[in-house]
Amino acid sequence: MTKVAAILFFARFWHHVASISSCGKSAHRIFAPFDIALSHSRKYNSIGCATAMQKRGRNWRKSCLEMEPLDYGSGMDQNAMMETDELIAVDMSDRAVPGSSISKRKAHEFNNANPRGIAHRAFSVFIFNNKNELLVTQRALSKITFPGVWTNSCCSHPLQGMSPDEVDDGVKSFPDFPGVKHAAVRKLRHELGIQSSEVPHSCFRFITKFHYWAADTITYGREAPWGEHEIDYVLFAKCEGDGPTLNINPDEVEDYKFVTAEELKKMMDDSSLLWSPWFIGIMENGGFEWWSDLDEALKAAGSRYCNRDIIFFDPPKEHMGSYNNPSHGRDTGVLTG
């Protein structure tokens, strides 16, 4: 076993042990030396990933994952992730469409031929601290879709071809959905620098799903070439103290803050701030209620808020492009098996 391999092995082992502890900072402090070890191994692997990307083009992501899953995003800009991320196309019942391989770019392209893009699986994470304050974030101004908007703690997609596996059975995996939670762990680290020792896989509670679409007309006007069309899993997680340690990725996040429900309502009433259409839809369709009864929402089993529903909502009128018209139904942009 080489020196680098040994460092990586022990770092992975101790991170696994830490991730099964409670959602708090104590485990992070205990295993801090191993975070350092992992950072050294990650630096080595990032070089390997960059080399793989140069040599193998689209095959680089698989090579990176074989070396170190936590390196997702190393050496990539927004355009690279648009091309290489392979999303999970879903039908109206949130079943993965067999044989469908869609890039992030293809799924998010809006035009006359695809007025709502392609429906795909996503997740929205809500992180709370011990004061029940919610972490809200502003998307980086460099983001291709919905730049500069405020939203929940982290929003992204489970991907195909990842390890650990992020592809759930949208029906049979209820209510655990381990794949979506693996994706949440990956993206919290990528966007906010949150270690899995502070918000482990076991910390997430699935609430419900939303089916929505929205054109990014605020950024690009009524001919917007981009938009969202998702079946979105809502995940809640609560942490000890003032919240998890953050190490913000400026390519993903412009700003952030922890807020109370009343502070959030005031922010949402501020016309100078932009908000993601999915976050508005979630908060208008149960978000504030679940937040006000957080202990119930966070129950490991038997929460009255956890359900199999897929709640549909259209976007506000300002998020409808010139190619969207009343004849389009809920199944517009949804693939079938």
Side-chain angles (χ1 to χ4, degrees), residues 179-213:
V180 170
K181 293 176 182 178
H182 284 309
V185 170
R186 170 176 57 82
K187 284 299 291 183
L188 283 176
R189 185 181 185 90
H190 175 234
E191 295 190 5
L192 297 167
I194 296 176
Q195 303 292 328
S196 61
S197 55
E198 294 198 72
V199 187
H201 188 277
S202 59
C203 192
F204 295 100
R205 299 289 178 263
F206 168 76
I207 306 296
T208 192
K209 303 176 189 178
F210 289 93
H211 178 188
Y212 80 95
W213 64 276

PDB file of all heavy atoms in Angstrom, residues 179-213:
ATOM      1  N   GLY A 179     -30.261   7.219  -1.987  1.00  0.00           N
ATOM      2  CA  GLY A 179     -29.491   7.821  -3.070  1.00  0.00           C
ATOM      3  C   GLY A 179     -29.564   9.331  -3.069  1.00  0.00           C
ATOM      4  O   GLY A 179     -28.543  10.014  -3.228  1.00  0.00           O
ATOM      5  N   VAL A 180     -30.760   9.875  -2.895  1.00  0.00           N
ATOM      6  CA  VAL A 180     -30.926  11.325  -2.850  1.00  0.00           C
ATOM      7  C   VAL A 180     -30.151  11.909  -1.669  1.00  0.00           C
ATOM      8  O   VAL A 180     -29.527  12.977  -1.784  1.00  0.00           O
ATOM      9  CB  VAL A 180     -32.419  11.701  -2.755  1.00  0.00           C
ATOM     10  CG1 VAL A 180     -32.588  13.185  -2.456  1.00  0.00           C
ATOM     11  CG2 VAL A 180     -33.137  11.360  -4.060  1.00  0.00           C
ATOM     12  N   LYS A 181     -30.132  11.200  -0.551  1.00  0.00           N
ATOM     13  CA  LYS A 181     -29.394  11.684   0.618  1.00  0.00           C
ATOM     14  C   LYS A 181     -27.879  11.635   0.377  1.00  0.00           C
ATOM     15  O   LYS A 181     -27.142  12.519   0.833  1.00  0.00           O
ATOM     16  CB  LYS A 181     -29.788  10.885   1.851  1.00  0.00           C
ATOM     17  CG  LYS A 181     -31.236  11.114   2.273  1.00  0.00           C
ATOM     18  CD  LYS A 181     -31.639  10.239   3.450  1.00  0.00           C
ATOM     19  CE  LYS A 181     -33.106  10.458   3.812  1.00  0.00           C
ATOM     20  NZ  LYS A 181     -33.549   9.583   4.935  1.00  0.00           N
ATOM     21  N   HIS A 182     -27.399  10.616  -0.344  1.00  0.00           N
ATOM     22  CA  HIS A 182     -25.985  10.593  -0.723  1.00  0.00           C
ATOM     23  C   HIS A 182     -25.655  11.824  -1.574  1.00  0.00           C
ATOM     24  O   HIS A 182     -24.600  12.448  -1.398  1.00  0.00           O
ATOM     25  CB  HIS A 182     -25.660   9.328  -1.520  1.00  0.00           C
ATOM     26  CG  HIS A 182     -25.561   8.088  -0.695  1.00  0.00           C
ATOM     27  ND1 HIS A 182     -24.788   8.000   0.447  1.00  0.00           N
ATOM     28  CD2 HIS A 182     -26.125   6.849  -0.861  1.00  0.00           C
ATOM     29  CE1 HIS A 182     -24.881   6.782   0.957  1.00  0.00           C
ATOM     30  NE2 HIS A 182     -25.687   6.072   0.197  1.00  0.00           N
ATOM     31  N   ALA A 183     -26.554  12.157  -2.492  1.00  0.00           N
ATOM     32  CA  ALA A 183     -26.346  13.332  -3.339  1.00  0.00           C
ATOM     33  C   ALA A 183     -26.324  14.612  -2.498  1.00  0.00           C
ATOM     34  O   ALA A 183     -25.526  15.524  -2.762  1.00  0.00           O
ATOM     35  CB  ALA A 183     -27.434  13.417  -4.401  1.00  0.00           C
ATOM     36  N   ALA A 184     -27.180  14.672  -1.494  1.00  0.00           N
ATOM     37  CA  ALA A 184     -27.221  15.849  -0.624  1.00  0.00           C
ATOM     38  C   ALA A 184     -25.905  16.013   0.137  1.00  0.00           C
ATOM     39  O   ALA A 184     -25.382  17.132   0.262  1.00  0.00           O
ATOM     40  CB  ALA A 184     -28.392  15.740   0.344  1.00  0.00           C
ATOM     41  N   VAL A 185     -25.363  14.918   0.639  1.00  0.00           N
ATOM     42  CA  VAL A 185     -24.070  14.961   1.332  1.00  0.00           C
ATOM     43  C   VAL A 185     -22.991  15.488   0.385  1.00  0.00           C
ATOM     44  O   VAL A 185     -22.180  16.351   0.752  1.00  0.00           O
ATOM     45  CB  VAL A 185     -23.683  13.560   1.865  1.00  0.00           C
ATOM     46  CG1 VAL A 185     -22.244  13.553   2.372  1.00  0.00           C
ATOM     47  CG2 VAL A 185     -24.632  13.130   2.978  1.00  0.00           C
ATOM     48  N   ARG A 186     -22.981  14.963  -0.837  1.00  0.00           N
ATOM     49  CA  ARG A 186     -21.984  15.379  -1.829  1.00  0.00           C
ATOM     50  C   ARG A 186     -22.076  16.875  -2.129  1.00  0.00           C
ATOM     51  O   ARG A 186     -21.061  17.588  -2.165  1.00  0.00           O
ATOM     52  CB  ARG A 186     -22.182  14.569  -3.115  1.00  0.00           C
ATOM     53  CG  ARG A 186     -21.369  15.061  -4.307  1.00  0.00           C
ATOM     54  CD  ARG A 186     -21.528  14.170  -5.533  1.00  0.00           C
ATOM     55  NE  ARG A 186     -22.910  14.024  -5.961  1.00  0.00           N
ATOM     56  CZ  ARG A 186     -23.573  14.898  -6.723  1.00  0.00           C
ATOM     57  NH1 ARG A 186     -22.971  16.013  -7.139  1.00  0.00           N
ATOM     58  NH2 ARG A 186     -24.836  14.684  -7.084  1.00  0.00           N
ATOM     59  N   LYS A 187     -23.291  17.380  -2.353  1.00  0.00           N
ATOM     60  CA  LYS A 187     -23.443  18.770  -2.751  1.00  0.00           C
ATOM     61  C   LYS A 187     -23.280  19.750  -1.591  1.00  0.00           C
ATOM     62  O   LYS A 187     -22.830  20.886  -1.792  1.00  0.00           O
ATOM     63  CB  LYS A 187     -24.799  18.971  -3.420  1.00  0.00           C
ATOM     64  CG  LYS A 187     -24.842  18.444  -4.834  1.00  0.00           C
ATOM     65  CD  LYS A 187     -23.825  19.132  -5.754  1.00  0.00           C
ATOM     66  CE  LYS A 187     -24.181  20.575  -6.038  1.00  0.00           C
ATOM     67  NZ  LYS A 187     -23.226  21.208  -7.002  1.00  0.00           N
ATOM     68  N   LEU A 188     -23.623  19.348  -0.377  1.00  0.00           N
ATOM     69  CA  LEU A 188     -23.367  20.227   0.766  1.00  0.00           C
ATOM     70  C   LEU A 188     -21.868  20.459   0.911  1.00  0.00           C
ATOM     71  O   LEU A 188     -21.425  21.573   1.238  1.00  0.00           O
ATOM     72  CB  LEU A 188     -23.938  19.622   2.052  1.00  0.00           C
ATOM     73  CG  LEU A 188     -25.453  19.728   2.236  1.00  0.00           C
ATOM     74  CD1 LEU A 188     -25.886  18.993   3.501  1.00  0.00           C
ATOM     75  CD2 LEU A 188     -25.913  21.182   2.315  1.00  0.00           C
ATOM     76  N   ARG A 189     -21.111  19.418   0.665  1.00  0.00           N
ATOM     77  CA  ARG A 189     -19.656  19.566   0.729  1.00  0.00           C
ATOM     78  C   ARG A 189     -19.151  20.436  -0.422  1.00  0.00           C
ATOM     79  O   ARG A 189     -18.309  21.322  -0.231  1.00  0.00           O
ATOM     80  CB  ARG A 189     -18.985  18.192   0.694  1.00  0.00           C
ATOM     81  CG  ARG A 189     -17.465  18.252   0.869  1.00  0.00           C
ATOM     82  CD  ARG A 189     -16.857  16.865   0.790  1.00  0.00           C
ATOM     83  NE  ARG A 189     -15.438  16.934   1.088  1.00  0.00           N
ATOM     84  CZ  ARG A 189     -14.923  16.815   2.310  1.00  0.00           C
ATOM     85  NH1 ARG A 189     -15.719  16.607   3.343  1.00  0.00           N
ATOM     86  NH2 ARG A 189     -13.617  16.902   2.508  1.00  0.00           N
ATOM     87  N   HIS A 190     -19.661  20.191  -1.612  1.00  0.00           N
ATOM     88  CA  HIS A 190     -19.197  20.914  -2.789  1.00  0.00           C
ATOM     89  C   HIS A 190     -19.550  22.399  -2.738  1.00  0.00           C
ATOM     90  O   HIS A 190     -18.719  23.262  -3.053  1.00  0.00           O
ATOM     91  CB  HIS A 190     -19.815  20.279  -4.050  1.00  0.00           C
ATOM     92  CG  HIS A 190     -19.515  21.015  -5.310  1.00  0.00           C
ATOM     93  ND1 HIS A 190     -20.490  21.444  -6.190  1.00  0.00           N
ATOM     94  CD2 HIS A 190     -18.341  21.440  -5.851  1.00  0.00           C
ATOM     95  CE1 HIS A 190     -19.937  22.067  -7.194  1.00  0.00           C
ATOM     96  NE2 HIS A 190     -18.638  22.082  -7.028  1.00  0.00           N
ATOM     97  N   GLU A 191     -20.770  22.727  -2.334  1.00  0.00           N
ATOM     98  CA  GLU A 191     -21.217  24.115  -2.374  1.00  0.00           C
ATOM     99  C   GLU A 191     -20.874  24.898  -1.114  1.00  0.00           C
ATOM    100  O   GLU A 191     -20.504  26.074  -1.194  1.00  0.00           O
ATOM    101  CB  GLU A 191     -22.736  24.161  -2.592  1.00  0.00           C
ATOM    102  CG  GLU A 191     -23.171  23.618  -3.938  1.00  0.00           C
ATOM    103  CD  GLU A 191     -24.638  23.891  -4.226  1.00  0.00           C
ATOM    104  OE1 GLU A 191     -25.294  24.578  -3.416  1.00  0.00           O
ATOM    105  OE2 GLU A 191     -25.119  23.425  -5.273  1.00  0.00           O
ATOM    106  N   LEU A 192     -21.006  24.249   0.037  1.00  0.00           N
ATOM    107  CA  LEU A 192     -20.883  24.956   1.312  1.00  0.00           C
ATOM    108  C   LEU A 192     -19.711  24.484   2.164  1.00  0.00           C
ATOM    109  O   LEU A 192     -19.471  25.027   3.245  1.00  0.00           O
ATOM    110  CB  LEU A 192     -22.184  24.802   2.112  1.00  0.00           C
ATOM    111  CG  LEU A 192     -23.428  25.417   1.454  1.00  0.00           C
ATOM    112  CD1 LEU A 192     -24.693  24.929   2.152  1.00  0.00           C
ATOM    113  CD2 LEU A 192     -23.361  26.933   1.480  1.00  0.00           C
ATOM    114  N   GLY A 193     -18.998  23.460   1.704  1.00  0.00           N
ATOM    115  CA  GLY A 193     -17.867  22.944   2.469  1.00  0.00           C
ATOM    116  C   GLY A 193     -18.274  22.229   3.737  1.00  0.00           C
ATOM    117  O   GLY A 193     -17.465  22.088   4.667  1.00  0.00           O
ATOM    118  N   ILE A 194     -19.522  21.776   3.823  1.00  0.00           N
ATOM    119  CA  ILE A 194     -20.011  21.108   5.037  1.00  0.00           C
ATOM    120  C   ILE A 194     -19.537  19.666   5.048  1.00  0.00           C
ATOM    121  O   ILE A 194     -19.787  18.905   4.115  1.00  0.00           O
ATOM    122  CB  ILE A 194     -21.549  21.170   5.113  1.00  0.00           C
ATOM    123  CG1 ILE A 194     -22.017  22.628   5.233  1.00  0.00           C
ATOM    124  CG2 ILE A 194     -22.062  20.349   6.288  1.00  0.00           C
ATOM    125  CD1 ILE A 194     -23.531  22.788   5.215  1.00  0.00           C
ATOM    126  N   GLN A 195     -18.852  19.296   6.122  1.00  0.00           N
ATOM    127  CA  GLN A 195     -18.343  17.934   6.263  1.00  0.00           C
ATOM    128  C   GLN A 195     -19.486  16.975   6.595  1.00  0.00           C
ATOM    129  O   GLN A 195     -20.439  17.326   7.311  1.00  0.00           O
ATOM    130  CB  GLN A 195     -17.290  17.874   7.375  1.00  0.00           C
ATOM    131  CG  GLN A 195     -16.113  18.823   7.175  1.00  0.00           C
ATOM    132  CD  GLN A 195     -15.235  18.422   5.997  1.00  0.00           C
ATOM    133  OE1 GLN A 195     -15.091  17.245   5.688  1.00  0.00           O
ATOM    134  NE2 GLN A 195     -14.637  19.406   5.330  1.00  0.00           N
ATOM    135  N   SER A 196     -19.373  15.752   6.110  1.00  0.00           N
ATOM    136  CA  SER A 196     -20.394  14.743   6.413  1.00  0.00           C
ATOM    137  C   SER A 196     -20.419  14.384   7.889  1.00  0.00           C
ATOM    138  O   SER A 196     -21.405  13.844   8.382  1.00  0.00           O
ATOM    139  CB  SER A 196     -20.167  13.483   5.577  1.00  0.00           C
ATOM    140  OG  SER A 196     -18.898  12.911   5.858  1.00  0.00           O
ATOM    141  N   SER A 197     -19.344  14.696   8.621  1.00  0.00           N
ATOM    142  CA  SER A 197     -19.339  14.460  10.064  1.00  0.00           C
ATOM    143  C   SER A 197     -20.286  15.401  10.793  1.00  0.00           C
ATOM    144  O   SER A 197     -20.733  15.107  11.905  1.00  0.00           O
ATOM    145  CB  SER A 197     -17.923  14.616  10.625  1.00  0.00           C
ATOM    146  OG  SER A 197     -17.385  15.881  10.291  1.00  0.00           O
ATOM    147  N   GLU A 198     -20.610  16.542  10.179  1.00  0.00           N
ATOM    148  CA  GLU A 198     -21.517  17.501  10.801  1.00  0.00           C
ATOM    149  C   GLU A 198     -22.960  17.329  10.323  1.00  0.00           C
ATOM    150  O   GLU A 198     -23.894  17.576  11.082  1.00  0.00           O
ATOM    151  CB  GLU A 198     -21.045  18.929  10.528  1.00  0.00           C
ATOM    152  CG  GLU A 198     -19.721  19.275  11.193  1.00  0.00           C
ATOM    153  CD  GLU A 198     -19.508  20.770  11.281  1.00  0.00           C
ATOM    154  OE1 GLU A 198     -20.201  21.412  12.091  1.00  0.00           O
ATOM    155  OE2 GLU A 198     -18.668  21.294  10.523  1.00  0.00           O
ATOM    156  N   VAL A 199     -23.138  16.964   9.068  1.00  0.00           N
ATOM    157  CA  VAL A 199     -24.478  16.676   8.545  1.00  0.00           C
ATOM    158  C   VAL A 199     -24.393  15.329   7.818  1.00  0.00           C
ATOM    159  O   VAL A 199     -24.286  15.280   6.591  1.00  0.00           O
ATOM    160  CB  VAL A 199     -24.977  17.777   7.592  1.00  0.00           C
ATOM    161  CG1 VAL A 199     -26.434  17.522   7.200  1.00  0.00           C
ATOM    162  CG2 VAL A 199     -24.866  19.156   8.239  1.00  0.00           C
ATOM    163  N   PRO A 200     -24.413  14.230   8.580  1.00  0.00           N
ATOM    164  CA  PRO A 200     -24.272  12.902   7.974  1.00  0.00           C
ATOM    165  C   PRO A 200     -25.533  12.449   7.246  1.00  0.00           C
ATOM    166  O   PRO A 200     -26.611  13.043   7.395  1.00  0.00           O
ATOM    167  CB  PRO A 200     -23.974  11.997   9.172  1.00  0.00           C
ATOM    168  CG  PRO A 200     -24.627  12.678  10.322  1.00  0.00           C
ATOM    169  CD  PRO A 200     -24.472  14.161  10.052  1.00  0.00           C
ATOM    170  N   HIS A 201     -25.385  11.393   6.490  1.00  0.00           N
ATOM    171  CA  HIS A 201     -26.474  10.793   5.724  1.00  0.00           C
ATOM    172  C   HIS A 201     -27.684  10.529   6.608  1.00  0.00           C
ATOM    173  O   HIS A 201     -28.838  10.768   6.223  1.00  0.00           O
ATOM    174  CB  HIS A 201     -25.954   9.501   5.095  1.00  0.00           C
ATOM    175  CG  HIS A 201     -26.870   8.837   4.133  1.00  0.00           C
ATOM    176  ND1 HIS A 201     -27.896   7.992   4.533  1.00  0.00           N
ATOM    177  CD2 HIS A 201     -26.926   8.878   2.774  1.00  0.00           C
ATOM    178  CE1 HIS A 201     -28.518   7.535   3.469  1.00  0.00           C
ATOM    179  NE2 HIS A 201     -27.963   8.053   2.383  1.00  0.00           N
ATOM    180  N   SER A 202     -27.445  10.044   7.826  1.00  0.00           N
ATOM    181  CA  SER A 202     -28.532   9.665   8.735  1.00  0.00           C
ATOM    182  C   SER A 202     -29.284  10.857   9.302  1.00  0.00           C
ATOM    183  O   SER A 202     -30.342  10.700   9.919  1.00  0.00           O
ATOM    184  CB  SER A 202     -27.969   8.835   9.896  1.00  0.00           C
ATOM    185  OG  SER A 202     -26.983   9.580  10.608  1.00  0.00           O
ATOM    186  N   CYS A 203     -28.757  12.059   9.088  1.00  0.00           N
ATOM    187  CA  CYS A 203     -29.353  13.269   9.663  1.00  0.00           C
ATOM    188  C   CYS A 203     -30.554  13.772   8.858  1.00  0.00           C
ATOM    189  O   CYS A 203     -31.399  14.489   9.386  1.00  0.00           O
ATOM    190  CB  CYS A 203     -28.283  14.359   9.728  1.00  0.00           C
ATOM    191  SG  CYS A 203     -28.714  15.805  10.708  1.00  0.00           S
ATOM    192  N   PHE A 204     -30.639  13.392   7.575  1.00  0.00           N
ATOM    193  CA  PHE A 204     -31.672  13.940   6.697  1.00  0.00           C
ATOM    194  C   PHE A 204     -33.021  13.276   6.920  1.00  0.00           C
ATOM    195  O   PHE A 204     -33.114  12.064   7.106  1.00  0.00           O
ATOM    196  CB  PHE A 204     -31.274  13.766   5.232  1.00  0.00           C
ATOM    197  CG  PHE A 204     -30.048  14.539   4.842  1.00  0.00           C
ATOM    198  CD1 PHE A 204     -28.819  13.905   4.747  1.00  0.00           C
ATOM    199  CD2 PHE A 204     -30.117  15.899   4.582  1.00  0.00           C
ATOM    200  CE1 PHE A 204     -27.682  14.607   4.393  1.00  0.00           C
ATOM    201  CE2 PHE A 204     -28.989  16.614   4.229  1.00  0.00           C
ATOM    202  CZ  PHE A 204     -27.763  15.965   4.135  1.00  0.00           C
ATOM    203  N   ARG A 205     -34.076  14.086   6.858  1.00  0.00           N
ATOM    204  CA  ARG A 205     -35.450  13.583   6.932  1.00  0.00           C
ATOM    205  C   ARG A 205     -36.183  14.002   5.662  1.00  0.00           C
ATOM    206  O   ARG A 205     -36.262  15.195   5.340  1.00  0.00           O
ATOM    207  CB  ARG A 205     -36.174  14.162   8.151  1.00  0.00           C
ATOM    208  CG  ARG A 205     -35.534  13.789   9.475  1.00  0.00           C
ATOM    209  CD  ARG A 205     -35.726  12.311   9.811  1.00  0.00           C
ATOM    210  NE  ARG A 205     -35.074  11.967  11.065  1.00  0.00           N
ATOM    211  CZ  ARG A 205     -33.864  11.413  11.167  1.00  0.00           C
ATOM    212  NH1 ARG A 205     -33.174  11.130  10.061  1.00  0.00           N
ATOM    213  NH2 ARG A 205     -33.343  11.145  12.338  1.00  0.00           N
ATOM    214  N   PHE A 206     -36.701  13.010   4.955  1.00  0.00           N
ATOM    215  CA  PHE A 206     -37.495  13.290   3.766  1.00  0.00           C
ATOM    216  C   PHE A 206     -38.886  13.758   4.187  1.00  0.00           C
ATOM    217  O   PHE A 206     -39.516  13.155   5.063  1.00  0.00           O
ATOM    218  CB  PHE A 206     -37.601  12.032   2.895  1.00  0.00           C
ATOM    219  CG  PHE A 206     -38.627  12.149   1.799  1.00  0.00           C
ATOM    220  CD1 PHE A 206     -38.359  12.888   0.658  1.00  0.00           C
ATOM    221  CD2 PHE A 206     -39.875  11.555   1.929  1.00  0.00           C
ATOM    222  CE1 PHE A 206     -39.307  13.012  -0.346  1.00  0.00           C
ATOM    223  CE2 PHE A 206     -40.831  11.671   0.934  1.00  0.00           C
ATOM    224  CZ  PHE A 206     -40.550  12.400  -0.214  1.00  0.00           C
ATOM    225  N   ILE A 207     -39.379  14.816   3.537  1.00  0.00           N
ATOM    226  CA  ILE A 207     -40.710  15.346   3.842  1.00  0.00           C
ATOM    227  C   ILE A 207     -41.692  14.993   2.722  1.00  0.00           C
ATOM    228  O   ILE A 207     -42.652  14.256   2.928  1.00  0.00           O
ATOM    229  CB  ILE A 207     -40.681  16.880   4.036  1.00  0.00           C
ATOM    230  CG1 ILE A 207     -39.642  17.275   5.089  1.00  0.00           C
ATOM    231  CG2 ILE A 207     -42.077  17.374   4.445  1.00  0.00           C
ATOM    232  CD1 ILE A 207     -39.902  16.775   6.486  1.00  0.00           C
ATOM    233  N   THR A 208     -41.476  15.515   1.536  1.00  0.00           N
ATOM    234  CA  THR A 208     -42.395  15.288   0.423  1.00  0.00           C
ATOM    235  C   THR A 208     -41.695  15.640  -0.886  1.00  0.00           C
ATOM    236  O   THR A 208     -40.502  15.992  -0.894  1.00  0.00           O
ATOM    237  CB  THR A 208     -43.675  16.137   0.601  1.00  0.00           C
ATOM    238  OG1 THR A 208     -44.678  15.705  -0.327  1.00  0.00           O
ATOM    239  CG2 THR A 208     -43.397  17.625   0.407  1.00  0.00           C
ATOM    240  N   LYS A 209     -42.432  15.552  -1.997  1.00  0.00           N
ATOM    241  CA  LYS A 209     -41.901  15.896  -3.312  1.00  0.00           C
ATOM    242  C   LYS A 209     -42.776  16.959  -3.970  1.00  0.00           C
ATOM    243  O   LYS A 209     -43.994  16.977  -3.779  1.00  0.00           O
ATOM    244  CB  LYS A 209     -41.859  14.673  -4.240  1.00  0.00           C
ATOM    245  CG  LYS A 209     -41.079  13.483  -3.739  1.00  0.00           C
ATOM    246  CD  LYS A 209     -41.220  12.317  -4.711  1.00  0.00           C
ATOM    247  CE  LYS A 209     -40.650  11.035  -4.166  1.00  0.00           C
ATOM    248  NZ  LYS A 209     -40.835   9.886  -5.104  1.00  0.00           N
ATOM    249  N   PHE A 210     -42.134  17.801  -4.761  1.00  0.00           N
ATOM    250  CA  PHE A 210     -42.838  18.792  -5.567  1.00  0.00           C
ATOM    251  C   PHE A 210     -42.473  18.609  -7.033  1.00  0.00           C
ATOM    252  O   PHE A 210     -41.312  18.324  -7.359  1.00  0.00           O
ATOM    253  CB  PHE A 210     -42.467  20.213  -5.131  1.00  0.00           C
ATOM    254  CG  PHE A 210     -43.031  20.616  -3.805  1.00  0.00           C
ATOM    255  CD1 PHE A 210     -42.304  20.438  -2.641  1.00  0.00           C
ATOM    256  CD2 PHE A 210     -44.301  21.168  -3.723  1.00  0.00           C
ATOM    257  CE1 PHE A 210     -42.829  20.805  -1.415  1.00  0.00           C
ATOM    258  CE2 PHE A 210     -44.837  21.540  -2.500  1.00  0.00           C
ATOM    259  CZ  PHE A 210     -44.102  21.356  -1.347  1.00  0.00           C
ATOM    260  N   HIS A 211     -43.452  18.769  -7.898  1.00  0.00           N
ATOM    261  CA  HIS A 211     -43.230  18.762  -9.344  1.00  0.00           C
ATOM    262  C   HIS A 211     -43.515  20.182  -9.837  1.00  0.00           C
ATOM    263  O   HIS A 211     -44.634  20.682  -9.699  1.00  0.00           O
ATOM    264  CB  HIS A 211     -44.167  17.748 -10.017  1.00  0.00           C
ATOM    265  CG  HIS A 211     -44.042  17.697 -11.503  1.00  0.00           C
ATOM    266  ND1 HIS A 211     -44.915  16.965 -12.297  1.00  0.00           N
ATOM    267  CD2 HIS A 211     -43.164  18.278 -12.372  1.00  0.00           C
ATOM    268  CE1 HIS A 211     -44.576  17.095 -13.558  1.00  0.00           C
ATOM    269  NE2 HIS A 211     -43.525  17.889 -13.634  1.00  0.00           N
ATOM    270  N   TYR A 212     -42.512  20.818 -10.387  1.00  0.00           N
ATOM    271  CA  TYR A 212     -42.677  22.195 -10.841  1.00  0.00           C
ATOM    272  C   TYR A 212     -41.779  22.436 -12.054  1.00  0.00           C
ATOM    273  O   TYR A 212     -40.875  21.651 -12.368  1.00  0.00           O
ATOM    274  CB  TYR A 212     -42.296  23.178  -9.727  1.00  0.00           C
ATOM    275  CG  TYR A 212     -40.806  23.358  -9.613  1.00  0.00           C
ATOM    276  CD1 TYR A 212     -40.162  24.418 -10.262  1.00  0.00           C
ATOM    277  CD2 TYR A 212     -40.018  22.442  -8.915  1.00  0.00           C
ATOM    278  CE1 TYR A 212     -38.786  24.556 -10.202  1.00  0.00           C
ATOM    279  CE2 TYR A 212     -38.650  22.563  -8.854  1.00  0.00           C
ATOM    280  CZ  TYR A 212     -38.037  23.621  -9.499  1.00  0.00           C
ATOM    281  OH  TYR A 212     -36.665  23.749  -9.468  1.00  0.00           O
ATOM    282  N   TRP A 213     -42.015  23.519 -12.716  1.00  0.00           N
ATOM    283  CA  TRP A 213     -41.157  23.978 -13.813  1.00  0.00           C
ATOM    284  C   TRP A 213     -41.102  25.496 -13.776  1.00  0.00           C
ATOM    285  O   TRP A 213     -41.998  26.148 -13.220  1.00  0.00           O
ATOM    286  CB  TRP A 213     -41.692  23.499 -15.179  1.00  0.00           C
ATOM    287  CG  TRP A 213     -43.036  24.092 -15.510  1.00  0.00           C
ATOM    288  CD1 TRP A 213     -44.248  23.624 -15.109  1.00  0.00           C
ATOM    289  CD2 TRP A 213     -43.282  25.290 -16.249  1.00  0.00           C
ATOM    290  NE1 TRP A 213     -45.256  24.457 -15.571  1.00  0.00           N
ATOM    291  CE2 TRP A 213     -44.678  25.482 -16.285  1.00  0.00           C
ATOM    292  CE3 TRP A 213     -42.461  26.205 -16.912  1.00  0.00           C
ATOM    293  CZ2 TRP A 213     -45.266  26.557 -16.933  1.00  0.00           C
ATOM    294  CZ3 TRP A 213     -43.047  27.284 -17.566  1.00  0.00           C
ATOM    295  CH2 TRP A 213     -44.440  27.443 -17.578  1.00  0.00           C
TER     296      TRP A 213
END
